[in-house]
């Protein structure tokens, strides 16, 4: 399984740190050319490799960490997203009417034709996300939701590999609504920093 993070702002870098901590290779890309990202990527760790957007999109699993308005530009980079899993780590600060009345991730899914989409890693601030998720025998919770159960399982496995405790919330329109942010209205689980003890 290969991984890429598209967007190398605070959230993208926080996620890159999570991969680096576990020495799991991840490609990072943004609108900027890869050579401008390379020093920061190297500074995070040798497992973090800056590449062009085109090269990054060859990964099996792509974490979207761009500002919400830019997701459509990313979607245009490939004619078909079949076989790809998109992890939506974005939050939309737009009114529901501008999202066709859909949860933000369902709106994003329409742009990535053929991809499996999972909402995840979006409910924590960057500093919290960048911190070691293992504290006093507990694992920091990340909430996952999606309309394709088959897509959630490998994302949950990745979250575990990174040291987090994945908690599945179900479909985007149901449990997923708890972690959606739109138009400055925050779902009840946004910014809730929770830990789960090992069973």
């Amino acid at each position: 399984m290969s991984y890429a993070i598209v967007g190398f702002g605070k959230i993208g870098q926080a996620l890159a740190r999570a991969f680096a901590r576990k020495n799991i290779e991840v490609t990072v890309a943004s609108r900027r050319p890869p050579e401008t990202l390379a020093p920061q990527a190297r500074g995070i760790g040798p497992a973090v490799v800056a590449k062009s957007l085109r090269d990054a999109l060859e990964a099996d699993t792509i974490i979207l960490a761009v500002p919400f308005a830019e997701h459509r530009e990313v979607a245009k980079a490939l004619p078909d997203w079949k076989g790809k899993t998109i992890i939506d780590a974005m939050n939309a600060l737009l009114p529901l009417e501008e999202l066709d009345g859909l949860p933000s991730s369902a709106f994003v899914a329409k742009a990535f034709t053929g991809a499996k989409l999972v909402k995840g890693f979006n409910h924590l601030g960057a500093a919290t996300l960048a911190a070691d998720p293992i504290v006093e025998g507990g694992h920091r919770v990340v909430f996952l939701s999606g309309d394709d159960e088959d897509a959630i399982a490998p994302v949950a496995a990745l979250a575990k590999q990174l040291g987090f405790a994945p908690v599945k919330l179900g479909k985007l329109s149901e449990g997923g609504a708890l972690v959606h942010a739109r138009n400055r209205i925050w779902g009840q689980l946004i910014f809730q920093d929770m830990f789960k003890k090992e069973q």
Side-chain angles (χ1 to χ4, degrees), residues 1-2 6 16 49 59 67 70 84 88 94 101-102 109 111 151 154 162 176 185:
M1 190 69 73
S2 53
V6 175
V49 182
E70 290 174 24
K84 306 276 185 197
D88 175 11
L94 296 169
L102 297 168
L162 295 174
I185 298 165

Side-chain angles (χ1 to χ4, degrees), residues 127-140:
T128 307
L129 201 54
D132 190 336
I134 301 168
V135 178
E136 295 175 14
H139 294 252
R140 178 167 277 120

Side-chain angles (χ1 to χ4, degrees), residues 57-180:
L57 295 181
E58 288 178 14
D60 304 308
T61 299
I62 295 148
I63 304 175
L64 276 184
V66 296
F68 187 82
E70 290 174 24
H71 76 272
R72 278 179 278 216
E73 280 307 305
V74 177
K76 287 178 193 168
L78 289 181
D80 182 21
W81 292 82
K82 199 167 173 53
K84 306 276 185 197
T85 297
I86 303 287
I87 300 173
D88 175 11
M90 304 178 296
N91 287 309
L93 302 179
L94 296 169
L96 199 53
E97 308 77 68
E98 289 185 38
L99 300 173
D100 300 337
L102 297 168
S104 62
S105 292
F107 185 81
V108 170
K110 292 199 308 181
F112 291 87
T113 313
K116 294 178 175 180
L117 186 133
V118 177
K119 182 82 172 174
F121 298 98
N122 69 297
H123 85 284
L124 295 169
T128 307
L129 201 54
D132 190 336
I134 301 168
V135 178
E136 295 175 14
H139 294 252
R140 178 167 277 120
V141 166
V142 291
F143 297 109
L144 305 177
S145 56
D147 293 340
D148 186 330
E149 182 57 40
D150 292 343
I152 296 177
V155 176
L158 170 64
K160 271 190 167 167
Q161 253 188 300
L162 295 174
F164 293 94
V167 172
K168 298 176 192 177
L169 297 178
K171 296 192 179 297
L172 295 172
S173 61
E174 297 156 5
L178 297 170
V179 287
H180 282 276

Side-chain angles (χ1 to χ4, degrees), residues 2-38:
S2 53
Y3 303 103
I5 299 166
V6 175
F8 204 50
K10 288 179 182 171
I11 295 293
Q13 289 177 43
L15 287 163
R17 287 182 195 287
F19 278 85
R21 226 181 344 260
K22 297 294 183 178
N23 206 30
I24 300 167
E25 186 163 314
V26 66
T27 299
V28 295
S30 80
R31 288 172 304 179
R32 293 181 287 157
E35 53 273 17
T36 64
L37 307 182

